[in-house]
Amino acid sequence: MSGLQKEEIQRRVIKCMPWILLYEFFQVFNENVFNLITPDLSQEFAVTPSTVSLIVTLGKLFFGIAAIVFTALSDVISIRKLLLFTCFVFPVVTLIGFFSQHSFTLLIVFRALFAITIAAPLALQVMIAIKYFDKLTAAKYFGYNTAIFQLASASGHLFGGYITEYLHWNVTFLIPLITLIGVPIIYKNMPKDESKRGSFDYIGLILLTVISALLITYMTFKMEYTILLILALVFIAIFVFYTQKSKDPFVKPELFKVKGIIPSLIVCALFYGTQVGFSFIFPFIAKQTYGISTSTIGVFYMFTNIAAFIVGMLSGKIIKQIGYRNIALLGGAFIFGGLTLVAFLVGYSVVIVFIGMGLFNIGYALFFSGYLTNYTQLLPEHQRGAGIGIEKLVLNIGSSLGGAFLAMLYGQPYMMNKIIDFSSNDKSAQYSNSALVLMLMIGVATLIFMYVFNKNFNRTEEFGKSAQV
């Protein structure tokens, strides 16, 4: 391929990227609306907070499974065809999902279908970035990814509260129909890569789905049903045996032999488990500790998300100054700092808590662009698709488990003991303790990250300057 042809393809892909990112916007928007209104849904459907968390955790589970399916399929089916699947099927699902307000079960089903059908563009945008752009441009798109995440979070928190109070939460299923506008642009400009011959391991996919569902359901219902854990362990054993014997397994064992992959995935699970866990518990903090309405929570959320959006859009410039590794570490420091404010001061003022949330969100905007750039450097070129798919799966399983874990802790008697909460507020102890648990998770994850990605991963010399540590 000539340089001129490559530039033309890049120009065409750049036209598609805003519309691909729009799918991320609506996935995050929808998810944050439901995160915000979980206390309301708990009352509306007369279910416990741990049960209502299934709306978020199962959605993430199915998104994670679908993400790795689409990245695996991209080895045998062109990326363009996979994207067009979402373009045409996703609007149908969102339109039908509008009618899910009559049943909690229907709501869970349509949240799962929503996640499955929108997974392709969100999973494949990373592959598109590293396939068609240089590393710094790809890192910028990773930063835009987190910026869009924060903008969508702000919109979900702001408009979600008002939609819930003045219309109804099911309206959030109709708004993503705007993605239909971008279908002709993706159809016209996305390169027509040839499909390749290959096979797909459906048995491995089913086994992995069953394992994830059993573990998440076990934790969601406060570990009361030991049979779920036993069944999960049995299926894990079956999955490991099957993977070792299969000629072309869904999860290839050799990928995990690459140095640094396993601990890097642990970092991924801990960071994103913390993100969803904190997002799940935060509306309960605001409502039950301070008596703030859903719409007011949304307004406060908006300011923290916009701050993180701005930081995400500037991630390319920040990387040039401090490097890929250090931007991830800086993000970890912001996350830890935000959790520390909540853990120690949640009983005093709601303003302090929202400052903590602001630092928390900014931290993720910084962390993601650095982490993903470093992670993809570990992957052999011929295993990038599988490696990115596994990262997406671990991210979403970790996120689901993070939400389920916090839901499991919620309301437990031992969480009511004041450990580092020195306020006189009698409702803040369990939220302080929840933040403390999340602080420990981030601390461990950051130490592992520093071990896996040493100073050589910073790579500021690429930008015409000496490496900075």
Side-chain angles (χ1 to χ4, degrees):
M1 182 187 296
S2 68
L4 194 61
Q5 288 176 315
K6 187 174 181 180
E7 288 180 7
E8 175 60 24
I9 289 174
Q10 286 179 343
R11 280 195 293 268
R12 289 169 57 192
V13 173
I14 287 172
K15 291 179 181 179
C16 297
M17 291 304 283
W19 296 100
I20 293 172
L21 288 171
L22 187 64
Y23 285 100
E24 181 192 8
F25 177 91
F26 284 117
Q27 193 268 340
V28 176
F29 176 87
N30 186 279
E31 184 174 288
N32 277 277
V33 169
F34 283 103
N35 264 328
L36 180 67
I37 65 174
T38 46
D40 302 284
L41 292 174
S42 180
Q43 293 180 357
E44 181 175 338
F45 290 108
V47 294
T48 64
S50 60
T51 301
V52 82
S53 73
L54 287 171
I55 295 171
V56 177
T57 55
L58 288 182
K60 280 197 165 290
L61 167 64
F62 282 100
F63 177 86
I65 296 295
I68 193 172
V69 168
F70 284 120
T71 51
L73 285 175
S74 68
D75 290 333
V76 294
I77 301 175
S78 73
I79 290 177
R80 181 175 182 271
K81 289 181 179 178
L82 295 174
L83 288 175
L84 291 176
F85 163 82
T86 289
C87 289
F88 293 114
V89 176
F90 176 66
V92 176
V93 170
T94 60
L95 184 61
I96 299 174
F98 175 76
F99 301 99
S100 62
Q101 78 270 27
H102 302 297
S103 166
F104 183 70
T105 302
L106 277 178
L107 175 57
I108 290 178
V109 169
F110 282 109
R111 277 280 296 141
L113 290 174
F114 183 96
I116 291 169
T117 53
I118 205 172
L122 275 71
L124 297 173
Q125 61 180 283
V126 176
M127 295 189 66
I128 292 169
I130 63 176
K131 180 175 183 179
Y132 295 108
F133 304 118
D134 61 79
K135 187 163 62 175
L136 180 59
T137 304
K140 287 181 181 178
Y141 274 106
F142 300 155
Y144 297 158
N145 179 294
T146 57
I148 292 297
F149 179 95
Q150 295 297 337
L151 183 63
S153 297
S155 302
H157 292 141
L158 175 62
F159 296 112
Y162 287 105
I163 287 171
T164 301
E165 288 193 14
Y166 300 110
L167 296 171
H168 195 268
W169 53 262
N170 66 329
V171 174
T172 58
F173 279 107
L174 295 181
I175 301 173
L177 290 174
I178 197 173
T179 55
L180 287 169
I181 299 173
V183 174
I185 297 171
I186 294 175
Y187 184 85
K188 179 181 178 181
N189 291 289
M190 201 64 205
K192 297 180 180 179
D193 296 335
E194 292 184 4
S195 299
K196 311 176 191 70
R197 291 184 178 182
S199 59
F200 191 76
D201 180 17
Y202 292 99
I203 297 176
L205 167 64
I206 292 171
L207 287 172
L208 197 58
T209 303
V210 170
I211 292 167
S212 302
L214 287 169
L215 287 173
I216 289 170
T217 306
Y218 171 68
M219 295 191 70
T220 299
F221 290 100
K222 301 181 184 293
M223 300 192 293
E224 290 180 3
Y225 304 103
T226 309
I227 185 64
L228 295 175
L229 178 60
I230 295 172
L231 287 172
L233 294 174
V234 170
F235 276 101
I236 288 172
I238 295 172
F239 178 74
V240 171
F241 178 80
Y242 171 80
T243 298
Q244 291 176 340
K245 298 297 181 182
S246 176
K247 292 182 180 179
D248 190 18
F250 183 70
V251 177
K252 296 175 174 58
E254 58 266 25
L255 177 65
F256 298 102
K257 295 178 182 177
V258 177
K259 185 179 179 181
I261 288 293
I262 291 177
S264 181
L265 291 174
I266 293 172
V267 170
C268 174
L270 288 172
F271 263 91
Y272 289 98
T274 299
Q275 183 182 45
V276 172
F278 192 51
S279 298
F280 167 74
I281 206 70
F282 197 83
F284 290 96
I285 296 176
K287 266 183 172 290
Q288 297 185 9
T289 306
Y290 304 105
I292 296 176
S293 68
T294 301
S295 58
T296 304
I297 295 171
V299 172
F300 276 107
Y301 261 133
M302 179 190 67
F303 290 113
T304 67
N305 292 135
I306 288 175
F309 167 74
I310 294 170
V311 172
M313 294 300 291
L314 295 174
S315 59
K317 293 182 179 180
I318 298 172
I319 287 172
K320 281 188 175 183
Q321 294 298 315
I322 66 175
Y324 300 109
R325 174 181 183 263
N326 286 352
I327 194 174
L329 292 176
L330 181 62
F334 268 84
I335 294 167
F336 190 86
L339 290 170
T340 301
L341 280 181
V342 175
F344 282 92
L345 302 174
V346 64
Y348 291 96
S349 169
V350 67
V351 174
I352 294 173
V353 171
F354 274 104
I355 291 173
M357 171 57 85
L359 294 175
F360 186 87
N361 286 338
I362 289 172
Y364 276 95
L366 295 167
F367 171 78
F368 184 77
S369 57
Y371 165 78
L372 196 53
T373 303
N374 283 325
Y375 173 75
T376 54
Q377 289 182 54
L378 296 175
L379 300 173
E381 189 170 348
H382 67 284
Q383 289 185 314
R384 278 183 175 175
I388 291 169
I390 290 294
E391 189 269 344
K392 289 292 181 185
L393 179 65
V394 169
L395 184 158
N396 286 283
I397 290 178
S399 298
S400 298
L401 289 174
F405 180 55
L406 263 291
M408 178 191 72
L409 295 178
Y410 186 85
Q412 296 290 345
Y414 53 78
M415 293 295 289
M416 307 301 179
N417 297 318
K418 288 181 176 287
I419 300 175
I420 57 173
D421 174 20
F422 303 107
S423 73
S424 59
N425 192 315
D426 58 357
K427 295 181 179 179
S428 59
Q430 73 166 323
Y431 304 118
S432 170
N433 293 334
S434 294
L436 177 60
V437 170
L438 297 176
M439 283 171 60
L440 294 174
M441 290 170 60
I442 287 297
V444 170
T446 302
L447 290 174
I448 297 173
F449 180 88
M450 293 175 66
Y451 171 76
V452 175
F453 300 104
N454 58 33
K455 298 174 184 179
N456 295 327
F457 281 86
N458 219 33
R459 306 292 175 85
T460 53
E461 70 274 8
E462 297 175 4
F463 315 127
K465 61 192 290 187
S466 301
Q468 296 179 32
V469 178

